[in-house]
Amino acid sequence: MTYHGGRRTQAERDAMTVEIGYALFSAAFAAAVVFGAVAGPALLFDLPDTLEKVLMVTGTTLAPALFVARVVSVLIRFRSSSAEPGRPGRGSADS
């Protein structure tokens, strides 16, 4: 992002707000899908207790890890793409 005397323009603030919303929404969706895929069978079917516990622990471990990884990757990608105004569709409005 370009800084004008240390301040961001309204368009830059809006772009960051949209990108944060996208990062959070897509991360929540991905985490829910992974949790459902891993822990879902334990919730839906009558499985042995050990297998149910393993699936639940795995699902509750993978989902938050995926959530954090997705948010970080989206925001890092946004930060690096906004620093390259020559890329079409990214950066400043005149590119």
Side-chain angles (χ1 to χ4, degrees):
M1 291 193 171
T2 59
Y3 295 99
H4 309 285
R7 300 181 67 175
R8 293 184 178 106
T9 65
Q10 183 64 42
E12 291 170 334
R13 289 193 307 265
D14 290 346
M16 181 57 80
T17 301
V18 168
E19 200 67 22
I20 289 169
Y22 168 72
L24 292 173
F25 180 79
S26 67
F29 181 77
V33 168
V34 166
F35 179 79
V38 174
L43 298 172
L44 294 174
F45 304 115
D46 188 25
L47 300 174
D49 288 340
T50 306
L51 183 58
E52 278 188 18
K53 288 179 184 177
V54 167
L55 289 175
M56 290 300 291
V57 167
T58 304
T60 56
T61 303
L62 285 178
L66 177 64
F67 180 87
V68 170
R70 177 69 180 159
V71 169
V72 169
S73 70
V74 168
L75 294 180
I76 286 175
R77 188 172 12 123
F78 173 73
R79 184 176 181 192
S80 66
S81 69
S82 64
E84 301 172 10
R87 290 180 60 194
R90 301 281 187 169
S92 63
D94 61 353
S95 61

